[in-house]
Amino acid sequence: MANIKSQKKRVLTNENAHQRNIAAKSGLKTAIRATRSAIAAGDKEAATTAYAVAAQRLDTAAGRGVIHRNQAANRKSGMASAINAL
């Protein structure tokens, strides 16, 4: 660890942000996985409800800078078109 006080604080805050980002990504992946499994099962109603949760998580992650907003939009679009194809 660095000797400079401000750099020590930076290391600690970066670690806190890293843990927050990991938690956000994990929840995001879980929601997307649930949506994709419902799509694969062919259950349109379950897929629609899972998609609502996943879309909210994607928007939250994009707003917090965990993922890029275009990546969130592309993932939402792909899942929505897959649900509409059911």
Side-chain angles (χ1 to χ4, degrees):
M1 190 178 241
N3 293 325
I4 300 166
K5 186 176 181 180
S6 62
Q7 189 59 35
K8 289 180 182 180
K9 183 177 178 182
R10 244 0 267 163
V11 168
L12 295 175
T13 56
N14 285 344
E15 181 60 28
N16 290 337
H18 179 62
Q19 294 301 323
R20 257 194 320 271
N21 290 343
I22 287 174
K25 275 190 179 180
S26 176
L28 180 63
K29 289 177 185 178
T30 303
I32 290 172
R33 195 176 303 119
T35 306
R36 288 190 176 152
S37 65
I39 290 170
D43 188 358
K44 188 167 186 170
E45 186 155 332
T48 305
T49 57
Y51 173 76
V53 174
Q56 184 179 16
R57 295 260 172 101
L58 281 164
D59 288 336
T60 303
R64 292 181 179 167
V66 176
I67 62 171
H68 196 274
R69 64 184 185 275
N70 290 353
Q71 184 187 25
N74 288 338
R75 288 186 179 199
K76 284 171 32 179
S77 174
M79 284 189 292
S81 62
I83 290 170
N84 291 334
L86 290 177

